[in-house]
Amino acid sequence: MRNLRNIRCSTWRSPADHQSRQITAVAWDTSLQSQIICYGPSETDTLIELVRVKKGPKADEDTLITSWDAPSPNPELSCDKVLSLYYFGDSLTACLVLAGGDIVVVREDPLPGEDRIEIVGSIDAGITAAKWSPDEELLAITTKADTVVFMSRSFEGVTDATMTLEDLRDSNHVSVGWGKKETQFKGRGANALRDPTVPEKTDEGVLSPYDDGEVSISWRGDGAYVAISTIHTGIRRLIRVYSREGVLDSVSEPVDGMEGALTWRPAGNLIACVQRLPDRADVVFFERNGLRHGQFSLRFTSEELHNKRINLSWNTDSSVLAVIVADTVQLWTVGNYHWYLKQEFSTLSEAILPSCSLVWHPEKALLFMVPTQLELFGLLIEQSTDVVMVAEYVSTIIRSSSAPPNDHGAVAVIDGKNVKVTPFRSANVPPPMGLYEMSVTSSIVDVAFSSKASSIAVLHQDGIAFYNWQLSPTTSSPPTLIGSFTFDKIASETSGYQQICFGPNESLLTLSYTQDGKATLDGYGFDAENRRMVAKSIEPPSKLSPCMISASSLDDSTLPWAQDASGLLHSLVVVEYSLPDIRLPAFLAWIEVAKHGEHHIAFGLSGNGHLYANTRLLVKNCTSFLLTPAHLIFTTTTNLLKFVHMSSVEDLEVPQDDPERDERCRSIERGARLVTAMPTSLSLVLQMPRGNLETIWPRAMVIAGIRRLIEAKNYKKAFSHCRTQRVDMNILYDHQPKQFMANIALFIDQIKKVTYLDLFLSSLREEDVTQTMYKETRVSPKLDNETALQPNINALQNSNNQDVGSSKINRICDAFLEALRSRRETNLQNIITANVCKSPPALDDGLQVVAELMSLNESMAEKAIEHICFLADVNKLYDNALGLYNLDLALLVAQQSQKDPREYLPFLQSLQEMETLRRQFSIDDHLGRHDQALLSLHKMSEEDPAELESYVIKHSLYKSALTLYRYNSSRHSSIMALYASYLESNSKLYPAAVAYESLHRYDSATSCYQRAGPQYYREALFCASQQDPPLSGSALTILATALADSLYEAKDYASCAEIQATYLAMVDAAITTLCKGYHFSSALLLAAQHQRADLLVPDGAIDAGLGDALGSSTELLAECKAQLLAQVPRIRELRIKAQADPLAFYEGEHDETLPDDISVAASSRISTSASLFTRYTGRQSMGTAASNASRATSKNRRREERKRARGKKGSVYEEEYLVASVGRLIERVESVRADLDRLVVALVRRGMRERALAIENVLAEVIALCRNAAQEIYGPPPSPLVPADAGEGAYRPTGADAVLAESIEASGRPKIAPVIAPFERLSLLGS
């Protein structure tokens, strides 16, 4: 699908002092990007001159390198002849091989002791051909003595071989027996059954009458083999293949009419030669083993076949085969096994010099030079002057606009005088075929489409052909020729037309080159009245020297532009809306212009794969690209297809190489290139390296197209794309929820088909797919202020959150049911589906619809029941039908199931015989709906409640029964008694006690309160006092003692003392208990209330309690202080070690020989050294992921968790353990501060100031230590050692390794410091 387009054509004319001399050889200098021209020798002048031609700022500059006299050393030659000219750019050396036998080296910058011109070797027998290998290491030479000589770069003989008759027998041909008698079928009708693969005639190698007898040499691209074409014994031309060691590999099979032209494709698979037949000339191909491998015919007239030598030459990347005859250069390419003639240039007479032919540039694949005498490419030069023409081409695809609705995907393919056109949107015709084919009178140069693809302009050597093309989204008609323009003969002889494009109002612009190398622009238009084309004058920008012209379709306008050599784009027309000048970093051969907002963006691709947006470099590995209104689409050398959302140049975001996660990136076949894109059909076409086409529907284009269709309310097409491209149907709602809910009727009218509506309803999910699988990837443009414009998807998210408390599925289904209410006859199936697809399924509502139809239309009811049974579990439907108490409906559902009638008919018959309430009770009890069954039983058992009570006890329906009898006190009490007994039996003692108390059963209530826990001592004592008959004094004492003991064990000292003082009259014990709980104020009050002065005297019970509390508090604070002074410095020491040398701290002993730039984080699934997670698990390093998985067991994890919990000194878990220990200590100190404050006040009240001051000072010191420790330990966390955002492919430890990983990760998380309240001293104690 790719064509060749000329972007450069320059001519260098021999200077005045060389006009009488003939160019004999040319070569490229890749180091200085110049040409080396060789003049002479000739019969009249034996002088050889080397001239360097380099492109200057305004014109080509030529410099004489050197010259010397080279008389012929062989008397048989009237003059010597240059057979090979090669320039070594690395050493600035030219090597010339002369027919007389001399090998001459010319050094531009000779070293001391070296000659500028030196004959480094000579072959006495004379030389017939010579060729350097592509790696510049070997020189292959054939001599007139039928020998092959291989010389090294230093011109030392490597090996030589003699070409003899024995070579034919030594050839390594591999034959499968084609043509032999024993491999052929013979019998009746043998001629009709002849194998078509067997040739009718076997070639004998007859020489062509036009063979000039020259020897040709061609190397394979890798330099491993060389092919040599010679005439054997004057009767047959052979191709011998030698290895670079000089060993004969094969000899070609005989081919009649084969000539001396020879070129080996650099890729290595084909050797091309010319076969001249009486009626045509073919390019034939050989494999390395010498066997034929296809051919194609050259398109010459009968006159062009006579008395003309044909030369062949492959370019460096094997993409173009140049066929050169005396007055014609043809450029051929191959695709899908078809050979295309892409370009053809002719002169009026002998043009290409017979002494040398076309020379390809060794690095730039489509750049070549041709030495000639007369015009080539339409340039008229004096015959006495030799010129060198340099031409450069690019491989491009001629396609129409990709902007909807004109994105027909039209592509034009040039093939000689024919152009093949295919609109891929309506017809996917594989190459080499085309849907339509148009022919012109001469070879085609370029083709252009109008903005709407309704017109096609074909530029050929004789003129322009203008075609009209009627296109529609699904069909098209053949293009019709409506006008043509023939170039003036004289003008065509002095200029060459290279490119064509459309302008405004379907005018045409052409780019041509004059004989002095200047580029000119010409305009043409179509006269509709006279139905012919006329020339128009245009006024291009001043000082514009265009190298390429093209046109862009922007806002329904065609804007032609030109690019000069510096990369600046100029608009070629001045209209109301024209293209501003756009600067690119350099001249780029592939350019497309797009408009975003008010700005224009020129996307350009360089030859080395750099893709630019204006001057911004986007990627460096692009192989092809194209534009759509929504995306920049390009392929990469990593075989990925990428989409970039169109935005301003600064906001263009190129996706990462992640085809599994990002919809903007997709893997493609190796070497695939973009052909065209059709956003309307959400597809694009790729061409594979072999030439075959592949149409794909990329997810990025599909989702973008569906979004556009939803916004345009074209739900029918959006649904169709979702169905065919397997896109989740939820996007139809999630993209525009409010719009969808407001246009449910429109959605139904557009979709129409009942099955499609069912498909949509059954695909609904609660998930918002616009936030998950189809999340918007467009980057929001930033505003001038700090805020940024949110992406469109965020605006839609607010609407998605409407009715947050309700279900999305239910909202849509309810809306459908409302819209379908009046369409029951046509959309009954959809009504059933909408009910069943709710979450949870509204099976009862669906069955109600069926039940209504049973009385109206039995046939529709049967269809409805079949559909609902298809959608839902028939067993659940049967239960729901029973739950509706509709036995006929239940029978209808059961008949659709696989149940045996004996399973359900007796049951339904028994239900039919029951009364209504009993039937409802039986159905609800059968379905397990016990609450509803209880309600029916309640209505039936007003007089005999025994059945109800037994049913309540059986199914534990106490709450429901209490609700039913809330207004019947007697029945309510009986149910409550049953419920209390049930609660007590299930150890729910507190609610059981409350129930018993409400029934005035205080004995049971007292027992339950006592067993429920000591916190209910008040309720237990109250119920004990309310018992009838009253509880005896001893029993009450026993109860009070038991409660007091329980409270003492629970450390509720205040409550315990209350019981001791009130119910047990144990004042001394109560005061001791209060002092134990630091309730000194209550103890003093209790002693005063009971007038116990003996308890208040010094060294009494209260002072003794104060002393005990002071001693225990002092001991506690001392322990806390010692722990802080030991653990905080240890934590500080561990952190310093980890920060100074984390590798040694986590991995073990540090090896000084290891590099110091190793990350301590595990970065691979496989490790060959001790890993971060194996030092403290006692295991060796991991060998493979499988072995690691086998060792990482749950047993190891539990063992490691125990190690982590112990926090043994010296282990990796020590710091974590110490930090947690300090935190617990601080919390403990804070929990006892209230008790210590009460202790200090009590000591002061009892006159023990010194003791109070001492305990307060110790407390203040401990609190200060806690505050400092919290600031140091819970400060800013250190940097985590393990990345927290490791991807899915990253190593994830398991088993014991996971425990260490969790510990290290926890150490990197921020820690919340315990709250330490401010400390205030008691002012009475002073400072």
Side-chain angles (χ1 to χ4, degrees), residues 121-140:
S122 182
I123 297 177
D124 297 337
I127 299 174
T128 57
K131 188 82 170 182
W132 282 95
S133 64
D135 58 3
E136 301 180 348
E137 294 296 331
L138 282 179
L139 174 62

Side-chain angles (χ1 to χ4, degrees), residues 1142-1143 1145-1148 1159-1167 1169-1182 1188 1191-1192 1196 1200 1203 1212-1213 1280-1283 1286 1290-1307:
L1143 183 62
F1145 182 78
Y1146 286 99
E1147 290 282 357
S1159 172
V1160 300
S1163 59
S1164 174
R1165 294 179 181 268
I1166 300 174
S1167 174
S1169 62
S1171 73
L1172 177 64
F1173 305 110
T1174 56
R1175 175 188 173 194
Y1176 298 100
T1177 60
R1179 302 188 306 164
Q1180 298 300 320
S1181 60
M1182 295 174 293
N1188 174 56
R1191 289 192 292 265
N1196 292 338
E1200 197 71 15
K1203 290 182 181 179
V1212 73
Y1213 306 116
L1281 295 173
V1282 179
Y1291 169 70
R1292 296 184 181 276
T1294 57
D1297 292 348
V1299 178
L1300 177 59
E1302 293 169 2
S1303 174
I1304 297 176
E1305 184 179 356
S1307 66

Side-chain angles (χ1 to χ4, degrees), residues 15-186:
D17 54 346
H18 288 79
Q19 288 188 359
S20 60
R21 308 209 62 201
Q22 183 180 5
I23 297 176
T24 55
V26 292
W28 290 98
D29 177 10
T30 57
S31 61
L32 299 177
Q33 297 301 321
S34 58
Q35 300 95 42
I36 306 300
I37 312 298
C38 178
Y39 288 95
S42 63
E43 294 182 0
T44 59
D45 189 353
T46 60
L47 184 67
I48 298 178
E49 292 180 292
L50 290 183
V51 177
R52 178 187 299 278
V53 179
K54 188 175 182 180
K55 187 176 182 180
K58 295 184 178 180
D60 292 338
E61 301 173 353
D62 53 84
T63 305
L64 179 64
I65 298 175
T66 189
S67 62
W68 71 95
D69 190 47
S72 174
N74 193 333
E76 297 179 0
L77 296 175
S78 59
C79 67
D80 217 338
K81 178 182 179 183
V82 179
L83 298 178
S84 173
L85 169 62
Y86 195 86
Y87 191 86
F88 298 95
D90 55 352
S91 60
L92 301 180
T93 303
C95 177
L96 291 87
V97 180
L98 305 180
D102 291 340
I103 303 174
V104 183
V105 172
V106 178
R107 303 181 180 90
E108 289 194 67
D109 189 13
L111 298 175
E114 292 183 342
D115 295 330
R116 186 176 183 86
I117 303 173
E118 179 183 1
I119 299 177
V120 295
S122 182
I123 297 177
D124 297 337
I127 299 174
T128 57
K131 188 82 170 182
W132 282 95
S133 64
D135 58 3
E136 301 180 348
E137 294 296 331
L138 282 179
L139 174 62
I141 299 174
T142 58
T143 68
K144 294 182 180 179
D146 290 336
T147 60
V148 183
V149 179
F150 291 89
M151 303 183 71
S152 66
R153 175 77 176 266
S154 58
F155 300 100
E156 297 178 355
V158 176
T159 185
D160 61 81
T162 303
M163 296 180 286
T164 64
L165 184 62
E166 299 295 327
D167 296 342
L168 298 178
R169 291 191 290 268
D170 296 339
S171 177
N172 295 326
H173 285 176
V174 178
S175 176
V176 294
W178 299 125
K180 293 185 177 180
K181 181 177 180 180
E182 57 268 20
T183 63
Q184 304 304 309
F185 172 77
K186 298 294 183 180

